[in-house]
PDB file of all heavy atoms in Angstrom:
ATOM      1  N   ARG A 132      16.834 -12.908   6.204  1.00 96.00           N
ATOM      2  CA  ARG A 132      16.136 -13.842   5.204  1.00 96.00           C
ATOM      3  C   ARG A 132      15.892 -15.195   5.869  1.00 96.00           C
ATOM      4  O   ARG A 132      14.960 -15.807   5.611  1.00 96.00           O
ATOM      5  CB  ARG A 132      16.896 -13.980   3.967  1.00 96.00           C
ATOM      6  CG  ARG A 132      18.169 -14.794   4.087  1.00 96.00           C
ATOM      7  CD  ARG A 132      18.932 -14.747   2.845  1.00 96.00           C
ATOM      8  NE  ARG A 132      20.199 -15.408   2.931  1.00 96.00           N
ATOM      9  CZ  ARG A 132      20.764 -16.189   2.039  1.00 96.00           C
ATOM     10  NH1 ARG A 132      20.081 -16.399   0.937  1.00 96.00           N
ATOM     11  NH2 ARG A 132      21.818 -16.908   2.242  1.00 96.00           N
ATOM     12  N   ARG A 133      16.772 -15.510   6.855  1.00 96.00           N
ATOM     13  CA  ARG A 133      16.441 -16.799   7.530  1.00 96.00           C
ATOM     14  C   ARG A 133      15.335 -16.752   8.458  1.00 96.00           C
ATOM     15  O   ARG A 133      14.855 -17.807   8.854  1.00 96.00           O
ATOM     16  CB  ARG A 133      17.784 -17.037   8.334  1.00 96.00           C
ATOM     17  CG  ARG A 133      18.989 -17.701   7.511  1.00 96.00           C
ATOM     18  CD  ARG A 133      19.774 -18.546   8.357  1.00 96.00           C
ATOM     19  NE  ARG A 133      20.613 -17.728   9.364  1.00 96.00           N
ATOM     20  CZ  ARG A 133      21.747 -17.198   9.039  1.00 96.00           C
ATOM     21  NH1 ARG A 133      22.343 -17.495   7.835  1.00 96.00           N
ATOM     22  NH2 ARG A 133      22.490 -16.593   9.902  1.00 96.00           N
ATOM     23  N   THR A 134      14.902 -15.491   8.744  1.00 95.00           N
ATOM     24  CA  THR A 134      13.666 -15.399   9.634  1.00 95.00           C
ATOM     25  C   THR A 134      12.343 -15.396   8.849  1.00 95.00           C
ATOM     26  O   THR A 134      11.257 -15.250   9.437  1.00 95.00           O
ATOM     27  CB  THR A 134      13.737 -14.191  10.511  1.00 95.00           C
ATOM     28  OG1 THR A 134      13.711 -13.036   9.607  1.00 95.00           O
ATOM     29  CG2 THR A 134      15.017 -14.161  11.350  1.00 95.00           C
ATOM     30  N   TYR A 135      12.491 -15.448   7.535  1.00 95.00           N
ATOM     31  CA  TYR A 135      11.305 -15.352   6.712  1.00 95.00           C
ATOM     32  C   TYR A 135      10.644 -16.874   6.570  1.00 95.00           C
ATOM     33  O   TYR A 135      11.360 -17.702   6.054  1.00 95.00           O
ATOM     34  CB  TYR A 135      11.586 -14.933   5.220  1.00 95.00           C
ATOM     35  CG  TYR A 135      10.455 -15.068   4.283  1.00 95.00           C
ATOM     36  CD1 TYR A 135       9.158 -14.422   4.612  1.00 95.00           C
ATOM     37  CD2 TYR A 135      10.601 -15.768   3.235  1.00 95.00           C
ATOM     38  CE1 TYR A 135       8.199 -14.596   3.684  1.00 95.00           C
ATOM     39  CE2 TYR A 135       9.551 -15.885   2.190  1.00 95.00           C
ATOM     40  CZ  TYR A 135       8.305 -15.289   2.567  1.00 95.00           C
ATOM     41  OH  TYR A 135       7.345 -15.555   1.628  1.00 95.00           O
ATOM     42  N   ASN A 136       9.391 -17.013   6.995  1.00 91.00           N
ATOM     43  CA  ASN A 136       8.936 -18.262   6.944  1.00 91.00           C
ATOM     44  C   ASN A 136       7.977 -18.457   5.840  1.00 91.00           C
ATOM     45  O   ASN A 136       6.789 -18.194   5.802  1.00 91.00           O
ATOM     46  CB  ASN A 136       8.053 -18.664   8.268  1.00 91.00           C
ATOM     47  CG  ASN A 136       7.341 -17.416   8.776  1.00 91.00           C
ATOM     48  OD1 ASN A 136       7.310 -16.360   8.107  1.00 91.00           O
ATOM     49  ND2 ASN A 136       6.801 -17.438   9.942  1.00 91.00           N
ATOM     50  N   LYS A 137       8.642 -18.913   4.782  1.00 91.00           N
ATOM     51  CA  LYS A 137       7.898 -18.962   3.508  1.00 91.00           C
ATOM     52  C   LYS A 137       6.804 -20.086   3.450  1.00 91.00           C
ATOM     53  O   LYS A 137       5.923 -20.020   2.617  1.00 91.00           O
ATOM     54  CB  LYS A 137       8.849 -19.187   2.208  1.00 91.00           C
ATOM     55  CG  LYS A 137       9.621 -20.495   2.233  1.00 91.00           C
ATOM     56  CD  LYS A 137      10.546 -20.498   0.959  1.00 91.00           C
ATOM     57  CE  LYS A 137      11.406 -21.830   0.925  1.00 91.00           C
ATOM     58  NZ  LYS A 137      12.359 -21.782   2.117  1.00 91.00           N
ATOM     59  N   ASP A 138       6.891 -21.015   4.350  1.00 93.00           N
ATOM     60  CA  ASP A 138       5.813 -22.075   4.307  1.00 93.00           C
ATOM     61  C   ASP A 138       4.457 -21.484   4.849  1.00 93.00           C
ATOM     62  O   ASP A 138       3.455 -22.290   4.609  1.00 93.00           O
ATOM     63  CB  ASP A 138       6.265 -23.307   5.055  1.00 93.00           C
ATOM     64  CG  ASP A 138       6.764 -22.967   6.401  1.00 93.00           C
ATOM     65  OD1 ASP A 138       6.769 -21.722   6.641  1.00 93.00           O
ATOM     66  OD2 ASP A 138       7.218 -23.864   7.113  1.00 93.00           O
ATOM     67  N   VAL A 139       4.525 -20.436   5.413  1.00 93.00           N
ATOM     68  CA  VAL A 139       3.188 -19.853   5.818  1.00 93.00           C
ATOM     69  C   VAL A 139       2.719 -18.724   4.862  1.00 93.00           C
ATOM     70  O   VAL A 139       1.591 -18.240   4.850  1.00 93.00           O
ATOM     71  CB  VAL A 139       3.244 -19.318   7.320  1.00 93.00           C
ATOM     72  CG1 VAL A 139       3.179 -20.490   8.234  1.00 93.00           C
ATOM     73  CG2 VAL A 139       4.246 -18.417   7.629  1.00 93.00           C
ATOM     74  N   ASP A 140       3.720 -18.130   4.152  1.00 96.00           N
ATOM     75  CA  ASP A 140       3.408 -17.105   3.232  1.00 96.00           C
ATOM     76  C   ASP A 140       3.128 -17.602   1.870  1.00 96.00           C
ATOM     77  O   ASP A 140       3.910 -17.490   0.862  1.00 96.00           O
ATOM     78  CB  ASP A 140       4.631 -16.095   3.218  1.00 96.00           C
ATOM     79  CG  ASP A 140       4.279 -14.758   2.451  1.00 96.00           C
ATOM     80  OD1 ASP A 140       3.026 -14.591   2.286  1.00 96.00           O
ATOM     81  OD2 ASP A 140       5.137 -14.017   2.074  1.00 96.00           O
ATOM     82  N   THR A 141       2.009 -18.250   1.682  1.00 95.00           N
ATOM     83  CA  THR A 141       1.698 -19.130   0.456  1.00 95.00           C
ATOM     84  C   THR A 141       0.665 -18.553  -0.343  1.00 95.00           C
ATOM     85  O   THR A 141       0.122 -19.168  -1.268  1.00 95.00           O
ATOM     86  CB  THR A 141       1.237 -20.541   0.939  1.00 95.00           C
ATOM     87  OG1 THR A 141       0.030 -20.328   1.652  1.00 95.00           O
ATOM     88  CG2 THR A 141       2.377 -21.206   1.725  1.00 95.00           C
ATOM     89  N   PHE A 142       0.246 -17.363  -0.072  1.00 96.00           N
ATOM     90  CA  PHE A 142      -0.768 -16.733  -0.957  1.00 96.00           C
ATOM     91  C   PHE A 142      -0.261 -16.672  -2.412  1.00 96.00           C
ATOM     92  O   PHE A 142       0.839 -16.232  -2.675  1.00 96.00           O
ATOM     93  CB  PHE A 142      -1.018 -15.260  -0.565  1.00 96.00           C
ATOM     94  CG  PHE A 142      -2.421 -14.742  -0.970  1.00 96.00           C
ATOM     95  CD1 PHE A 142      -3.563 -14.789  -0.249  1.00 96.00           C
ATOM     96  CD2 PHE A 142      -2.490 -14.237  -2.216  1.00 96.00           C
ATOM     97  CE1 PHE A 142      -4.709 -14.305  -0.678  1.00 96.00           C
ATOM     98  CE2 PHE A 142      -3.652 -13.667  -2.772  1.00 96.00           C
ATOM     99  CZ  PHE A 142      -4.791 -13.757  -1.989  1.00 96.00           C
ATOM    100  N   ARG A 143      -1.102 -17.044  -3.389  1.00 96.00           N
ATOM    101  CA  ARG A 143      -0.704 -17.014  -4.826  1.00 96.00           C
ATOM    102  C   ARG A 143      -0.855 -15.574  -5.413  1.00 96.00           C
ATOM    103  O   ARG A 143      -1.807 -15.212  -6.115  1.00 96.00           O
ATOM    104  CB  ARG A 143      -1.555 -18.051  -5.680  1.00 96.00           C
ATOM    105  CG  ARG A 143      -1.286 -19.552  -5.376  1.00 96.00           C
ATOM    106  CD  ARG A 143      -2.194 -20.369  -6.244  1.00 96.00           C
ATOM    107  NE  ARG A 143      -1.944 -21.772  -6.002  1.00 96.00           N
ATOM    108  CZ  ARG A 143      -2.452 -22.427  -4.932  1.00 96.00           C
ATOM    109  NH1 ARG A 143      -3.115 -21.802  -4.026  1.00 96.00           N
ATOM    110  NH2 ARG A 143      -2.232 -23.707  -4.681  1.00 96.00           N
ATOM    111  N   HIS A 144       0.167 -14.718  -5.037  1.00 96.00           N
ATOM    112  CA  HIS A 144       0.041 -13.362  -5.387  1.00 96.00           C
ATOM    113  C   HIS A 144       0.231 -13.008  -6.819  1.00 96.00           C
ATOM    114  O   HIS A 144      -0.177 -11.969  -7.249  1.00 96.00           O
ATOM    115  CB  HIS A 144       0.981 -12.479  -4.531  1.00 96.00           C
ATOM    116  CG  HIS A 144       2.519 -12.817  -4.766  1.00 96.00           C
ATOM    117  ND1 HIS A 144       2.912 -14.070  -4.991  1.00 96.00           N
ATOM    118  CD2 HIS A 144       3.518 -11.953  -4.694  1.00 96.00           C
ATOM    119  CE1 HIS A 144       4.159 -14.002  -5.088  1.00 96.00           C
ATOM    120  NE2 HIS A 144       4.635 -12.674  -4.919  1.00 96.00           N
ATOM    121  N   TYR A 145       0.739 -14.010  -7.512  1.00 96.00           N
ATOM    122  CA  TYR A 145       0.875 -13.677  -9.046  1.00 96.00           C
ATOM    123  C   TYR A 145      -0.467 -13.601  -9.747  1.00 96.00           C
ATOM    124  O   TYR A 145      -0.619 -12.948 -10.732  1.00 96.00           O
ATOM    125  CB  TYR A 145       1.805 -14.755  -9.725  1.00 96.00           C
ATOM    126  CG  TYR A 145       3.292 -14.671  -9.170  1.00 96.00           C
ATOM    127  CD1 TYR A 145       3.875 -15.613  -8.553  1.00 96.00           C
ATOM    128  CD2 TYR A 145       3.914 -13.374  -9.450  1.00 96.00           C
ATOM    129  CE1 TYR A 145       5.107 -15.457  -8.076  1.00 96.00           C
ATOM    130  CE2 TYR A 145       5.147 -13.251  -8.919  1.00 96.00           C
ATOM    131  CZ  TYR A 145       5.927 -14.336  -8.330  1.00 96.00           C
ATOM    132  OH  TYR A 145       7.187 -14.176  -7.709  1.00 96.00           O
ATOM    133  N   PHE A 146      -1.433 -14.312  -9.151  1.00 97.00           N
ATOM    134  CA  PHE A 146      -2.901 -14.273  -9.649  1.00 97.00           C
ATOM    135  C   PHE A 146      -3.322 -12.793  -9.418  1.00 97.00           C
ATOM    136  O   PHE A 146      -4.103 -12.242 -10.310  1.00 97.00           O
ATOM    137  CB  PHE A 146      -3.824 -15.246  -8.930  1.00 97.00           C
ATOM    138  CG  PHE A 146      -3.568 -16.687  -9.465  1.00 97.00           C
ATOM    139  CD1 PHE A 146      -3.308 -17.772  -8.594  1.00 97.00           C
ATOM    140  CD2 PHE A 146      -3.462 -16.888 -10.905  1.00 97.00           C
ATOM    141  CE1 PHE A 146      -3.075 -19.069  -9.101  1.00 97.00           C
ATOM    142  CE2 PHE A 146      -3.219 -18.329 -11.296  1.00 97.00           C
ATOM    143  CZ  PHE A 146      -3.048 -19.311 -10.446  1.00 97.00           C
ATOM    144  N   LEU A 147      -3.021 -12.242  -8.345  1.00 97.00           N
ATOM    145  CA  LEU A 147      -3.373 -10.823  -8.165  1.00 97.00           C
ATOM    146  C   LEU A 147      -2.880 -10.046  -9.084  1.00 97.00           C
ATOM    147  O   LEU A 147      -3.547  -9.095  -9.772  1.00 97.00           O
ATOM    148  CB  LEU A 147      -2.999 -10.394  -6.721  1.00 97.00           C
ATOM    149  CG  LEU A 147      -3.642 -11.104  -5.515  1.00 97.00           C
ATOM    150  CD1 LEU A 147      -3.036 -10.562  -4.242  1.00 97.00           C
ATOM    151  CD2 LEU A 147      -5.071 -10.963  -5.409  1.00 97.00           C
ATOM    152  N   VAL A 148      -1.549 -10.123  -9.363  1.00 98.00           N
ATOM    153  CA  VAL A 148      -0.789  -9.265 -10.452  1.00 98.00           C
ATOM    154  C   VAL A 148      -1.558  -9.492 -11.900  1.00 98.00           C
ATOM    155  O   VAL A 148      -1.855  -8.494 -12.444  1.00 98.00           O
ATOM    156  CB  VAL A 148       0.537  -9.670 -10.531  1.00 98.00           C
ATOM    157  CG1 VAL A 148       1.372  -8.897 -11.697  1.00 98.00           C
ATOM    158  CG2 VAL A 148       1.429  -9.379  -9.269  1.00 98.00           C
ATOM    159  N   LEU A 149      -1.725 -10.639 -12.221  1.00 98.00           N
ATOM    160  CA  LEU A 149      -2.457 -11.011 -13.499  1.00 98.00           C
ATOM    161  C   LEU A 149      -3.869 -10.359 -13.547  1.00 98.00           C
ATOM    162  O   LEU A 149      -4.213  -9.670 -14.544  1.00 98.00           O
ATOM    163  CB  LEU A 149      -2.455 -12.468 -13.717  1.00 98.00           C
ATOM    164  CG  LEU A 149      -2.969 -12.951 -15.211  1.00 98.00           C
ATOM    165  CD1 LEU A 149      -1.909 -12.509 -16.175  1.00 98.00           C
ATOM    166  CD2 LEU A 149      -3.216 -14.518 -15.147  1.00 98.00           C
ATOM    167  N   GLY A 150      -4.636 -10.643 -12.485  1.00 98.00           N
ATOM    168  CA  GLY A 150      -5.986 -10.196 -12.477  1.00 98.00           C
ATOM    169  C   GLY A 150      -6.050  -8.605 -12.550  1.00 98.00           C
ATOM    170  O   GLY A 150      -6.739  -8.070 -13.459  1.00 98.00           O
ATOM    171  N   CYS A 151      -5.073  -7.960 -11.786  1.00 98.00           N
ATOM    172  CA  CYS A 151      -5.239  -6.536 -11.936  1.00 98.00           C
ATOM    173  C   CYS A 151      -4.707  -5.971 -13.219  1.00 98.00           C
ATOM    174  O   CYS A 151      -5.311  -4.970 -13.699  1.00 98.00           O
ATOM    175  CB  CYS A 151      -4.235  -5.940 -10.726  1.00 98.00           C
ATOM    176  SG  CYS A 151      -5.051  -6.269  -9.073  1.00 98.00           S
ATOM    177  N   PHE A 152      -3.786  -6.642 -13.780  1.00 98.00           N
ATOM    178  CA  PHE A 152      -3.300  -6.030 -15.109  1.00 98.00           C
ATOM    179  C   PHE A 152      -4.439  -6.322 -16.108  1.00 98.00           C
ATOM    180  O   PHE A 152      -4.694  -5.380 -16.932  1.00 98.00           O
ATOM    181  CB  PHE A 152      -1.982  -6.920 -15.453  1.00 98.00           C
ATOM    182  CG  PHE A 152      -1.340  -6.409 -16.722  1.00 98.00           C
ATOM    183  CD1 PHE A 152      -0.675  -5.208 -16.732  1.00 98.00           C
ATOM    184  CD2 PHE A 152      -1.514  -7.031 -17.957  1.00 98.00           C
ATOM    185  CE1 PHE A 152      -0.131  -4.510 -17.902  1.00 98.00           C
ATOM    186  CE2 PHE A 152      -0.987  -6.444 -19.147  1.00 98.00           C
ATOM    187  CZ  PHE A 152      -0.312  -5.218 -19.069  1.00 98.00           C
ATOM    188  N   LEU A 153      -5.026  -7.434 -16.161  1.00 98.00           N
ATOM    189  CA  LEU A 153      -6.181  -7.711 -17.076  1.00 98.00           C
ATOM    190  C   LEU A 153      -7.267  -6.535 -16.912  1.00 98.00           C
ATOM    191  O   LEU A 153      -7.699  -5.949 -17.861  1.00 98.00           O
ATOM    192  CB  LEU A 153      -6.660  -9.086 -17.009  1.00 98.00           C
ATOM    193  CG  LEU A 153      -5.772 -10.155 -17.459  1.00 98.00           C
ATOM    194  CD1 LEU A 153      -6.452 -11.500 -17.124  1.00 98.00           C
ATOM    195  CD2 LEU A 153      -5.462 -10.057 -18.861  1.00 98.00           C
ATOM    196  N   LEU A 154      -7.491  -6.385 -15.634  1.00 98.00           N
ATOM    197  CA  LEU A 154      -8.581  -5.361 -15.364  1.00 98.00           C
ATOM    198  C   LEU A 154      -8.153  -3.940 -15.874  1.00 98.00           C
ATOM    199  O   LEU A 154      -8.878  -3.158 -16.433  1.00 98.00           O
ATOM    200  CB  LEU A 154      -8.905  -5.236 -13.847  1.00 98.00           C
ATOM    201  CG  LEU A 154      -9.949  -4.309 -13.384  1.00 98.00           C
ATOM    202  CD1 LEU A 154     -11.294  -4.473 -13.949  1.00 98.00           C
ATOM    203  CD2 LEU A 154     -10.133  -4.221 -11.772  1.00 98.00           C
ATOM    204  N   ALA A 155      -6.873  -3.677 -15.602  1.00 98.00           N
ATOM    205  CA  ALA A 155      -6.393  -2.278 -16.179  1.00 98.00           C
ATOM    206  C   ALA A 155      -6.354  -2.193 -17.603  1.00 98.00           C
ATOM    207  O   ALA A 155      -6.539  -1.185 -18.202  1.00 98.00           O
ATOM    208  CB  ALA A 155      -4.869  -2.174 -15.650  1.00 98.00           C
ATOM    209  N   LEU A 156      -6.308  -3.331 -18.297  1.00 98.00           N
ATOM    210  CA  LEU A 156      -6.356  -3.278 -19.767  1.00 98.00           C
ATOM    211  C   LEU A 156      -7.731  -2.848 -20.256  1.00 98.00           C
ATOM    212  O   LEU A 156      -7.954  -2.291 -21.219  1.00 98.00           O
ATOM    213  CB  LEU A 156      -5.984  -4.672 -20.445  1.00 98.00           C
ATOM    214  CG  LEU A 156      -4.539  -4.915 -20.410  1.00 98.00           C
ATOM    215  CD1 LEU A 156      -4.358  -6.456 -20.948  1.00 98.00           C
ATOM    216  CD2 LEU A 156      -3.677  -3.992 -21.288  1.00 98.00           C
ATOM    217  N   PHE A 157      -8.713  -3.197 -19.456  1.00 98.00           N
ATOM    218  CA  PHE A 157     -10.097  -2.816 -19.855  1.00 98.00           C
ATOM    219  C   PHE A 157     -10.677  -1.569 -19.032  1.00 98.00           C
ATOM    220  O   PHE A 157     -11.392  -0.865 -19.739  1.00 98.00           O
ATOM    221  CB  PHE A 157     -11.101  -4.044 -19.452  1.00 98.00           C
ATOM    222  CG  PHE A 157     -10.819  -5.205 -20.298  1.00 98.00           C
ATOM    223  CD1 PHE A 157     -10.087  -6.313 -19.806  1.00 98.00           C
ATOM    224  CD2 PHE A 157     -11.230  -5.374 -21.605  1.00 98.00           C
ATOM    225  CE1 PHE A 157      -9.769  -7.423 -20.458  1.00 98.00           C
ATOM    226  CE2 PHE A 157     -10.879  -6.467 -22.378  1.00 98.00           C
ATOM    227  CZ  PHE A 157     -10.236  -7.557 -21.801  1.00 98.00           C
ATOM    228  N   VAL A 158     -10.141  -1.374 -17.884  1.00 97.00           N
ATOM    229  CA  VAL A 158     -10.743  -0.145 -17.176  1.00 97.00           C
ATOM    230  C   VAL A 158      -9.519   0.749 -16.778  1.00 97.00           C
ATOM    231  O   VAL A 158      -8.680   0.453 -16.026  1.00 97.00           O
ATOM    232  CB  VAL A 158     -11.384  -0.619 -15.874  1.00 97.00           C
ATOM    233  CG1 VAL A 158     -11.973   0.747 -15.110  1.00 97.00           C
ATOM    234  CG2 VAL A 158     -12.492  -1.550 -16.138  1.00 97.00           C
ATOM    235  N   HIS A 159      -9.506   1.935 -17.426  1.00 96.00           N
ATOM    236  CA  HIS A 159      -8.504   2.812 -17.260  1.00 96.00           C
ATOM    237  C   HIS A 159      -8.853   4.164 -17.838  1.00 96.00           C
ATOM    238  O   HIS A 159      -9.933   4.312 -18.326  1.00 96.00           O
ATOM    239  CB  HIS A 159      -7.128   2.471 -18.197  1.00 96.00           C
ATOM    240  CG  HIS A 159      -7.567   2.067 -19.499  1.00 96.00           C
ATOM    241  ND1 HIS A 159      -7.712   0.711 -19.987  1.00 96.00           N
ATOM    242  CD2 HIS A 159      -8.030   2.818 -20.585  1.00 96.00           C
ATOM    243  CE1 HIS A 159      -8.080   0.645 -21.193  1.00 96.00           C
ATOM    244  NE2 HIS A 159      -8.332   1.881 -21.590  1.00 96.00           N
ATOM    245  N   GLU A 160      -8.198   5.310 -17.428  1.00 93.00           N
ATOM    246  CA  GLU A 160      -8.630   6.572 -17.923  1.00 93.00           C
ATOM    247  C   GLU A 160      -8.332   6.996 -19.373  1.00 93.00           C
ATOM    248  O   GLU A 160      -9.052   7.522 -20.006  1.00 93.00           O
ATOM    249  CB  GLU A 160      -7.886   7.657 -16.926  1.00 93.00           C
ATOM    250  CG  GLU A 160      -8.492   7.688 -15.543  1.00 93.00           C
ATOM    251  CD  GLU A 160      -7.822   8.784 -14.610  1.00 93.00           C
ATOM    252  OE1 GLU A 160      -6.949   9.535 -15.228  1.00 93.00           O
ATOM    253  OE2 GLU A 160      -8.268   8.770 -13.497  1.00 93.00           O
TER     254      GLU A 160
END
Side-chain angles (χ1 to χ4, degrees):
Chain A
R132 71 189 177 135
R133 277 206 293 270
T134 62
Y135 169 57
N136 36 11
K137 62 177 174 299
D138 49 357
V139 285
D140 191 15
T141 56
F142 198 99
R143 289 183 180 75
H144 62 324
Y145 292 119
F146 285 129
L147 293 177
V148 174
L149 185 67
C151 291
F152 187 71
L153 290 176
L154 180 59
L156 284 178
F157 294 101
V158 182
H159 42 259
E160 286 181 2

